Amino acid sequence: MSKPTIILGIESSCDDTAAAVIKDGKLLANIVANQNVHKAYGGVVPELASRAHQQNIIPVVDQAIKVSGIKKEEISAIAFTRGPGLMGSLLVGTSFSKAFAMGLGIPLIEVNHMQGHVLAHFIDTPEHQPKHPDFPFLCMTVSGGHTQIIVVKDMFEMEVIGETIDDAAGEAFDKAAKILGLPYPGGPLIDKFAKEGDPKAFKFTKPRIPELDFSFSGLKTGFMNFINNESARDPEFIEKNKNDICASIQYTIISILMDKLKEASARTGIKQIAIAGGVSANSGLRNTLLSLEKELGWEVFIPKFEYCTDNAAMIAITGYYKFKRKEFASQEITPMARYALK
Ligand code: KG4
Ligand code: ZN
């Protein structure tokens, strides 16, 4: 039998330190260390993020190797996130990967984080092999840093046909949460409170942006003014209406996303629709997509929760497919804070 291909994936682009092991295309371990240090600041503090990565990276990699049951000498290559992301954070994962690969005498594979989010749809485990989307498909990548609609022509050819001109969808969630006095990251909390609220209780104006692009900064300002005005009238406004406020702002964000996604599907004629990135963990978004599946004849692909938010399984799977193409990086490689999708 030929030697198995074992890829160690490393992700450190923002505030999660993650490592994963993929053997012959099947995920054996997927470890993520979240950073709680940012909670009090209402957003990721880059300097604190890189320090926490430095502390977490060795234990996280060590645990991924232990859980996978492989020996480190069996690893075929190390795939790491080169960008986009926070430079200080990326440097920790990149430097660690370079040193580890050099120590083991194995190749390095650089991965674009956004390509990783898209290829999260191709993660299989030994027990579970979900149906993968066929090419071409549309992928809406919605995270704390990005909001893009991508035509995925194949694993390595992706065309961005729409993106945000200001804030990302995740930022819209997080900033709305901050205005409500909720800790960072606020997206999951808005999701939680929204489940008990009325999405039509309050109406917020949607932006008018041409083509397939998005904008969320106007919504944030409108939301802030609304909350300030209502709170001036009744200091307990937020407390009394938390569920309805969360449901209404979530409904508006989802509806902005869906308007453009529907338009993208109509323009391209593509009906295989995937979502990726942290915001695709949102239950309102997931349910809306599932209802559109019937209404518009779409086939919808939604990753498991753990593959939506930042993780290293998506980096390892991208690395696995790059390994097959022998796309290796040199030891001179440096991270890139900005890294466009090809
Ligand atoms: O992909 P990700 O983990 O990191 C980036 O690459 O940015 O996305 C993080 C974003 C944060 O803005 C977070 O609030 C949002 O994803 N998020 C959610 C949910 N879970 C995570 N937003 C809404 N609902 C959720 N359930
Ligand atoms: Zn991400």
Side-chain angles (χ1 to χ4, degrees), residues 13 113-114 117 143 277-278 310 314:
S13 65
H113 180 86
M114 301 314 291
H117 271 303
S143 73
D310 285 350
M314 68 187 200

Side-chain angles (χ1 to χ4, degrees), residues 111-124:
V111 174
N112 181 313
H113 180 86
M114 301 314 291
Q115 185 185 9
H117 271 303
V118 176
L119 296 193
H121 286 279
F122 296 86
I123 298 171
D124 289 332

Side-chain angles (χ1 to χ4, degrees), residues 37 40 53 139 216-217 257 285 295 316:
V37 284
H53 282 305
C139 187
F216 290 100
S217 71
L257 293 172
L285 178 62
E295 193 184 314

Side-chain angles (χ1 to χ4, degrees), residues 19 31 35-36 38 59 77 202 212 223 265 268 319:
I31 308 295
Q35 301 181 357
N36 289 324
H38 310 289
F202 305 107
L212 297 171
F223 183 71
S265 169
T268 58

Side-chain angles (χ1 to χ4, degrees), residues 11 13-14 16 84 113-114 117 141-146 277-278 308-311 314:
E11 156 63 32
S13 65
C14 190
D16 296 309
H113 180 86
M114 301 314 291
H117 271 303
T141 308
V142 273
S143 73
H146 292 84
C308 288
T309 45
D310 285 350
N311 65 86
M314 68 187 200

